[in-house]
Amino acid sequence: MSSKNFEIWGGLECTINRIRSCYNNQILLNGHFHRAADLDLFASLGIKKLRYPMLWEAVAPYSFDEMNWEWIDSRMKRIQELDITPIAGLLHHGSGPCYTSLLDPKFPQKLARYAALVAQRYPWIEWYTPVNEPLTTARFSGLYGFWYPHHSNDRSMVRALLNQIKGIVLSMQAIRTVNPQAKLIQTEDIGRALATASVQYQADFENFRRWLTFDLLLGKVDRLHPAFQYLIKQGATRAELAWLQINSFPIDILGINHYPLSNRFLDHRLELYPERYHGGNGKDHYADVGAVDSGQVIPPAPIDVYREVWERYQRPIAVTEAHIGGPREAQMRWLQEIYLSAQRLRSDGAAIEAMTCWSLLGSYEWSSLCTTVNDHYESGIFD
């Protein structure tokens, strides 16, 4: 078992995602923007580490010449008074402000510039997540077309992913010039794909693609990596993949964001599912549904997913998001399952350091992946 004490962290849904020219801001929707006293509620739970938004789009929405730190200044002051350790999030499912995008060749440098400004203003902050779930964001923005820039092809997805990964490396390098002790908590959803036999090849592909965030940051994507040729085919250059190997960044904690719908089931029998689940890969058509909702397979349990991460990387792990939609009893059962899974793996020797109560204030519109504004709310620890 890990020698460190197991910690309970907190986090609040803070996504700022862009749909066409409109930005959806969870902090405005859930009211936290106007309620500094929420921090006292979080502290009352005994939470000592908090995933907290310091988002680029909110501080510098129009240019680096027009930056407004007032809101973050006040929140960081109160967080220090409450003796809470913040995990600073700089981009959370976002594409950046209006003067950039995930496909902007200068996106990594621009993000790193913002990261340096954050570190200079708050040199005492030790923990960072510069980009939340890079692969998930790249898929939703570049492959599925849900979020800006609304592209639907592998080439855009790969470019969005590589820009975010390089942005993380450059950001952490910039932060460490200010605070050499700064640490990286890198989050990703690494749910597993299952499939019927005729589309098992697609599930196999998605099951090695899901590791790309961690593998790229850790410098593991060499010529022998199963995704190498795919990345090259979709526009990555050998030079930039080599750069990521040379500049590999030692992730201090692997953050696993895990939901019941993280595990997917691909089924060629389209007639079994509503049309909204129908999709494909350009070669075959199939339904893509949550494994837990399919009625066709038993999805892997959380402990199985966490064990995969530990066995693959042998690095410290934290469950950085743990949430399920539904009544509070279901949410409590899910949180308990996450907790017990982590404890069991710790007893087997895995370095699982923490789990995160997510989201402390609930979330809006995730039933539509934040593509609509219908006031669809899923409650959190505080409602």
Side-chain angles (χ1 to χ4, degrees):
M1 181 183 291
S2 170
S3 60
K4 291 186 178 181
N5 292 328
F6 188 75
E7 298 180 346
I8 305 296
W9 299 351
L12 61 158
E13 175 56 48
C14 57
T15 294
I16 298 181
N17 69 294
R18 182 176 176 182
I19 305 296
R20 307 302 172 190
S21 60
C22 297
Y23 290 83
N24 297 322
N25 187 333
Q26 292 280 331
I27 296 300
L28 290 174
L29 291 171
N30 65 31
H32 180 63
F33 183 84
H34 302 290
R35 291 194 312 265
D38 287 346
L39 295 172
D40 296 81
L41 292 176
F42 303 160
S44 73
L45 296 177
I47 288 172
K48 291 299 183 180
K49 194 168 282 167
L50 181 68
R51 293 189 65 193
Y52 204 75
M54 307 178 72
L55 301 185
W56 183 13
E57 298 98 329
V59 173
Y62 305 114
S63 78
F64 282 111
D65 297 325
E66 303 176 70
M67 305 187 74
N68 186 342
W69 299 97
E70 182 179 357
W71 186 84
I72 295 180
D73 283 348
S74 66
R75 299 312 170 92
M76 289 299 105
K77 180 176 182 294
R78 187 57 183 151
I79 280 174
Q80 284 186 296
E81 292 169 348
L82 292 168
D83 195 27
I84 293 174
T85 299
I87 302 168
L90 309 185
L91 198 72
H92 197 101
H93 287 319
S95 55
C98 61
Y99 46 91
T100 189
S101 82
L102 297 179
L103 304 182
D104 178 2
K106 295 297 184 182
F107 175 89
Q109 291 78 10
K110 292 176 182 177
L111 177 62
R113 179 181 176 184
Y114 176 66
L117 293 169
V118 171
Q120 290 161 13
R121 195 170 186 90
Y122 312 102
W124 53 272
I125 292 180
E126 183 178 6
W127 295 92
Y128 283 86
T129 300
V131 179
N132 176 66
E133 295 188 9
L135 177 61
T136 301
T137 302
R139 286 166 44 222
F140 286 11
S141 300
L143 186 60
Y144 307 146
F146 297 150
W147 301 339
Y148 188 84
H150 304 287
H151 286 204
S152 301
N153 59 80
D154 285 77
R155 199 174 187 88
S156 292
M157 188 209 74
V158 166
R159 180 50 47 202
L161 174 62
L162 292 175
N163 275 353
Q164 290 175 93
I165 298 299
K166 186 174 182 179
I168 292 167
V169 173
L170 293 179
S171 293
M172 290 306 300
Q173 289 176 349
I175 290 165
R176 284 191 171 177
T177 63
V178 178
N179 180 1
Q181 305 305 314
K183 296 178 175 62
L184 171 63
I185 299 177
Q186 186 53 60
T187 58
E188 191 55 83
D189 184 327
I190 45 80
R192 195 187 303 169
L194 302 95
T196 53
S198 64
V199 289
Q200 182 61 48
Y201 74 93
Q202 179 65 28
D204 293 341
F205 168 73
E206 294 186 14
N207 283 331
F208 72 72
R209 185 185 66 186
R210 65 183 169 144
W211 303 113
L212 276 175
T213 288
F214 297 151
D215 282 3
L216 285 165
L217 280 171
L218 293 170
K220 293 180 177 293
V221 181
D222 57 17
R223 291 185 298 107
L224 300 179
H225 191 281
F228 185 84
Q229 292 302 326
Y230 164 74
L231 294 172
I232 294 296
K233 181 180 178 181
Q234 300 303 333
T237 67
R238 294 177 184 272
E240 64 184 327
L241 295 180
W243 186 92
L244 288 172
Q245 281 190 276
I246 294 169
N247 293 276
S248 62
F249 203 89
I251 302 170
D252 294 281
I253 295 180
L254 301 171
I256 310 305
N257 297 350
H258 194 69
Y259 297 81
L261 293 178
S262 294
N263 301 304
R264 310 300 298 173
F265 180 59
L266 311 182
D267 194 334
H268 69 282
R269 300 167 296 180
L270 294 173
E271 68 277 5
L272 298 181
Y273 307 94
E275 188 173 347
R276 66 180 180 275
Y277 295 116
H278 294 186
N281 56 12
K283 175 182 177 182
D284 288 306
H285 295 286
Y286 48 83
D288 182 340
V289 298
V292 70
D293 292 336
S294 69
Q296 306 295 320
V297 292
I298 299 175
I303 190 171
D304 297 324
V305 176
Y306 305 157
R307 183 178 286 112
E308 279 189 284
V309 178
W310 171 250
E311 291 178 350
R312 183 179 179 90
Y313 296 106
Q314 298 285 302
R315 304 182 73 87
I317 297 169
V319 182
T320 39
E321 292 180 20
H323 172 77
I324 185 173
R328 64 179 184 174
E329 290 79 12
Q331 293 181 330
M332 292 168 69
R333 284 193 296 270
W334 180 248
L335 205 60
Q336 182 186 42
E337 182 175 0
I338 301 298
Y339 177 82
L340 294 176
S341 297
Q343 292 302 320
R344 181 177 169 187
L345 277 182
R346 278 171 61 85
S347 69
D348 291 341
I352 299 187
E353 311 292 355
M355 62 171 283
T356 306
C357 298
W358 186 276
S359 168
L360 290 170
L361 297 175
S363 59
Y364 281 85
E365 313 304 349
W366 274 99
S367 61
S368 68
L369 299 177
C370 299
T371 59
T372 61
V373 181
N374 294 319
D375 292 329
H376 184 271
Y377 175 73
E378 295 179 14
S379 63
I381 307 301
F382 295 101
D383 192 333

